[in-house]
Amino acid sequence: MHSFGHRLNGLLTFSVTILAIMCAIASLSDNLNTPSPTADIKIMNINWFQKQPQGNDEVSLTMNISADLQSLFTWNTKQLFIFVAAEYETPKNSLNQVSLWDAIIPAKEHAKFWIHTSNKYRFVDQGNNLRGKKFNLTLHWHVMPKTGKMFADKIVMAGYSFPEEYR
Amino acid sequence: MKHLLPLFASDFYFQMDWQGQKLAEQIMQVMLLVFAVVSFGAGYVLGSFQMMMLVYAGGVTLTALITIPNWPFFNRHPLKWLDLSEAEKHPKPQVAVSSKKKSTKK
């Protein structure tokens, strides 16, 4: 090309355009990954189960969360954001989802883990519907990429229920 | 070196010729594409995004070093400019203003 400046400009724009295409292909390559995650949540203890002064139920529980999410990581994964949500139905809402705990997994080595913890965020109902209520505990994950599309999915674990009376 | 040349001549002596410009552009495009493929392949096989970026950055730098400066091998068909003393002997071409207006009004 004609001068130093022309050649420099041409090289920079062409190299950045190619970089954008490489990143798009890298993101598409994530679709080739077939993940096989597993998870299990045990409720070790219901610490307390009370009705607040405002009239809403609140519960505190201790859980043992174990999971193997290593197969979700690809070369284009920056981190995994996971959270545990309790899901149940009430007369007022067909679906209630309450987030109880979350974490960021920065690398594949940390994706196979177990943790014994009480709920990080308060479990408060809209009303007083929790006595004897059946609920699911769902582990959600968001695979956050280095470049491109983010994938999100979940594992639903059913069969949990609250005590019949406050404690 | 440039101060030894007649005025403005340095702009012509240290540039590429036409063939060299074409060659520089072709080399740049081919090298960047090759490095793109190689770096993507290396990153994918090694499972390392960082490796892809490092190889590509290295490739862009290498391409810049080869194609941007006025290397001598880009000047193998140099232009033969008319000597300054020779040019002054001949009349400079006149731009005819009236004929220009007529052609644009078609």
Side-chain angles (χ1 to χ4, degrees), chain A residues 1-2 4 7-8 10-11 14-15 18-19 22 25-26 29 32 75-76 146-147, chain B residues 15-16 21 25 28-29 32 36 39-40 43-44 47 49 52 56 63 67-68 70:
Chain A
M1 289 152 274
H2 316 295
F4 186 96
R7 290 194 294 278
L8 183 65
L11 181 133
F14 195 49
S15 64
I18 292 179
L19 182 65
M22 279 158 66
I25 300 175
S29 79
L32 298 171
W75 72 303
N76 185 30
K146 292 196 168 100
T147 170
Chain B
Q15 295 237 315
M16 300 180 181
Q21 288 179 10
E25 183 163 358
M28 179 203 72
Q29 288 169 342
L32 285 181
S39 67
F40 189 89
Y44 189 75
F49 197 88
M52 175 177 92
Y56 187 63
T63 308
T67 62
I68 293 186
N70 299 313

Side-chain angles (χ1 to χ4, degrees), chain B residues 82-90:
Chain B
L82 203 57
D83 231 12
L84 200 59
S85 48
E86 186 66 39
E88 277 168 3
K89 287 183 194 162
H90 303 274

Side-chain angles (χ1 to χ4, degrees), chain A residues 3 14 19 23 32 35 39 41 54 97 102 122 129-130 150 160 162 164:
Chain A
S3 71
F14 195 49
L19 182 65
C23 288
L32 298 171
I41 305 181
Q54 299 93 329
Q97 282 177 312
D102 56 31
R122 296 173 63 165
N129 306 297
L130 296 185
M150 181 173 84
Y160 305 90
F162 290 106
E164 299 287 343

